[in-house]
Each structure stands twice: as structure tokens, then as C-alpha cells.
Coordinates of all heavy atoms in Angstrom, one line a residue:
V1 N 2.9 -8.7 1.8 CA 1.9 -7.7 1.8 C 1.6 -7.2 0.4 O 0.5 -7.2 0.0 CB 2.5 -6.4 2.6 CG1 1.6 -5.2 2.4 CG2 2.5 -6.7 4.1
Q2 N 2.6 -6.9 -0.4 CA 2.4 -6.3 -1.7 C 1.7 -7.3 -2.6 O 0.9 -7.0 -3.5 CB 3.7 -5.8 -2.3 CG 3.5 -4.8 -3.4 CD 2.6 -3.6 -2.9 OE1 2.9 -3.0 -1.9 NE2 1.6 -3.2 -3.7
D3 N 2.0 -8.6 -2.5 CA 1.4 -9.6 -3.3 C -0.1 -9.7 -3.1 O -0.9 -9.7 -4.0 CB 2.0 -11.0 -3.0 CG 1.4 -12.1 -3.9 OD1 1.4 -12.0 -5.1 OD2 0.8 -13.0 -3.2
S4 N -0.5 -9.6 -1.8 CA -1.9 -9.6 -1.5 C -2.6 -8.3 -2.0 O -3.7 -8.4 -2.6 CB -2.2 -9.8 0.0 OG -1.7 -11.1 0.4
V5 N -2.0 -7.2 -1.8 CA -2.5 -5.9 -2.2 C -2.7 -5.9 -3.7 O -3.7 -5.6 -4.2 CB -1.6 -4.8 -1.8 CG1 -2.0 -3.5 -2.5 CG2 -1.7 -4.6 -0.3
D6 N -1.7 -6.4 -4.4 CA -1.7 -6.4 -5.9 C -2.9 -7.3 -6.4 O -3.6 -6.9 -7.4 CB -0.4 -6.8 -6.5 CG 0.7 -5.8 -6.3 OD1 0.4 -4.6 -6.0 OD2 1.9 -6.2 -6.5
R7 N -3.1 -8.4 -5.8 CA -4.1 -9.3 -6.2 C -5.5 -8.7 -6.0 O -6.4 -8.9 -6.9 CB -4.0 -10.7 -5.5 CG -2.7 -11.5 -5.9 CD -2.5 -12.7 -5.0 NE -3.6 -13.7 -5.2 CZ -3.8 -14.7 -4.4 NH1 -2.9 -15.0 -3.4 NH2 -4.8 -15.6 -4.6
I8 N -5.7 -8.1 -4.8 CA -7.0 -7.5 -4.5 C -7.3 -6.4 -5.5 O -8.4 -6.3 -6.0 CB -7.0 -7.1 -3.1 CG1 -7.0 -8.3 -2.1 CG2 -8.2 -6.3 -2.8 CD1 -6.7 -8.0 -0.7
V9 N -6.3 -5.5 -5.6 CA -6.5 -4.3 -6.5 C -6.7 -4.7 -7.9 O -7.6 -4.1 -8.6 CB -5.3 -3.3 -6.3 CG1 -5.4 -2.2 -7.3 CG2 -5.3 -2.8 -4.9
A10 N -6.0 -5.7 -8.4 CA -6.2 -6.1 -9.8 C -7.6 -6.7 -10.0 O -8.1 -6.6 -11.2 CB -5.2 -7.2 -10.2
A11 N -8.3 -7.2 -9.0 CA -9.6 -7.7 -9.2 C -10.7 -6.6 -8.9 O -11.9 -6.9 -8.9 CB -9.8 -8.8 -8.2
G12 N -10.3 -5.4 -8.6 CA -11.2 -4.3 -8.4 C -11.5 -4.1 -6.9 O -12.4 -3.3 -6.6
G13 N -10.8 -4.8 -6.0 CA -11.0 -4.5 -4.6 C -10.1 -3.4 -4.1 O -9.4 -2.8 -4.8
L14 N -10.2 -3.2 -2.8 CA -9.5 -2.2 -2.1 C -8.6 -2.6 -1.0 O -9.0 -3.3 0.0 CB -10.5 -1.1 -1.6 CG -11.3 -0.4 -2.6 CD1 -12.5 0.3 -2.0 CD2 -10.5 0.5 -3.4
A15 N -7.3 -2.4 -1.1 CA -6.3 -2.7 -0.1 C -5.0 -1.9 -0.3 O -4.7 -1.5 -1.4 CB -5.9 -4.2 -0.3
V16 N -4.4 -1.6 0.8 CA -3.1 -0.9 0.8 C -2.1 -1.5 1.7 O -2.6 -2.1 2.7 CB -3.3 0.6 1.1 CG1 -4.2 1.3 0.1 CG2 -3.8 0.8 2.5
A17 N -0.9 -1.3 1.5 CA 0.2 -1.7 2.5 C 0.2 -0.6 3.6 O 0.0 0.6 3.3 CB 1.5 -1.7 1.8
V18 N 0.3 -1.1 4.8 CA 0.4 -0.1 5.9 C 1.9 0.4 6.0 O 2.8 -0.4 6.0 CB 0.1 -0.8 7.3 CG1 0.3 0.1 8.4 CG2 -1.4 -1.3 7.2
R19 N 2.0 1.7 5.9 CA 3.4 2.2 5.8 C 3.6 3.2 6.9 O 2.7 3.7 7.6 CB 3.6 2.9 4.5 CG 3.3 2.1 3.2 CD 3.7 2.8 2.0 NE 3.3 2.0 0.8 CZ 3.9 1.0 0.3 NH1 5.0 0.5 0.9 NH2 3.5 0.4 -0.8
R20 N 4.9 3.5 7.2 CA 5.2 4.6 8.1 C 5.3 5.9 7.3 O 5.5 5.9 6.1 CB 6.6 4.3 8.8 CG 6.5 3.0 9.6 CD 7.7 2.8 10.5 NE 7.5 1.6 11.3 CZ 6.9 1.5 12.5 NH1 6.4 2.6 13.1 NH2 6.8 0.3 13.1
E21 N 5.2 7.0 8.0 CA 5.0 8.3 7.3 C 6.3 8.6 6.6 O 7.4 8.2 6.9 CB 4.7 9.4 8.3 CG 5.8 9.8 9.3 CD 5.5 11.0 10.1 OE1 5.0 12.0 9.6 OE2 5.7 10.9 11.4
N22 N 6.1 9.4 5.5 CA 7.2 9.9 4.7 C 7.2 11.4 4.8 O 6.5 12.1 4.0 CB 7.1 9.4 3.3 CG 8.2 9.9 2.4 OD1 8.9 10.9 2.7 ND2 8.4 9.2 1.3
P23 N 7.9 12.1 5.8 CA 7.7 13.5 5.9 C 8.1 14.3 4.7 O 7.5 15.4 4.5 CB 8.7 13.8 7.1 CG 8.8 12.5 7.8 CD 8.7 11.5 6.8
D24 N 9.0 13.9 3.9 CA 9.4 14.6 2.7 C 8.2 14.6 1.7 O 7.9 15.7 1.1 CB 10.6 14.0 2.0 CG 11.9 14.2 2.9 OD1 11.9 15.1 3.7 OD2 12.9 13.5 2.6
H25 N 7.6 13.5 1.5 CA 6.4 13.4 0.6 C 5.3 14.3 1.1 O 4.7 15.1 0.3 CB 5.9 12.0 0.5 CG 4.8 11.8 -0.4 ND1 4.8 12.2 -1.8 CD2 3.5 11.4 -0.2 CE1 3.7 12.0 -2.3 NE2 2.8 11.5 -1.4
D26 N 5.0 14.3 2.4 CA 4.0 15.1 3.0 C 4.3 16.6 2.8 O 3.4 17.4 2.5 CB 3.7 14.8 4.4 CG 3.1 13.4 4.6 OD1 2.1 13.2 3.9 OD2 3.6 12.6 5.4

């Protein structure tokens, strides 16, 4: 996942990893 996300974002595209919620961060 992160490899694909990093490649897309580095080229100016938009992608994120799908994650589960982090209640502490929220």
C-alpha cells in the first residue's frame, strides 16, 4: 500500500492508505 501511495503522491497525484480509526488522535 505505502509504496503505491508514495509513488503517486511524489508525482503530484492523490492517494492514501485506508486505515482504521485512531480514537486518541481524533
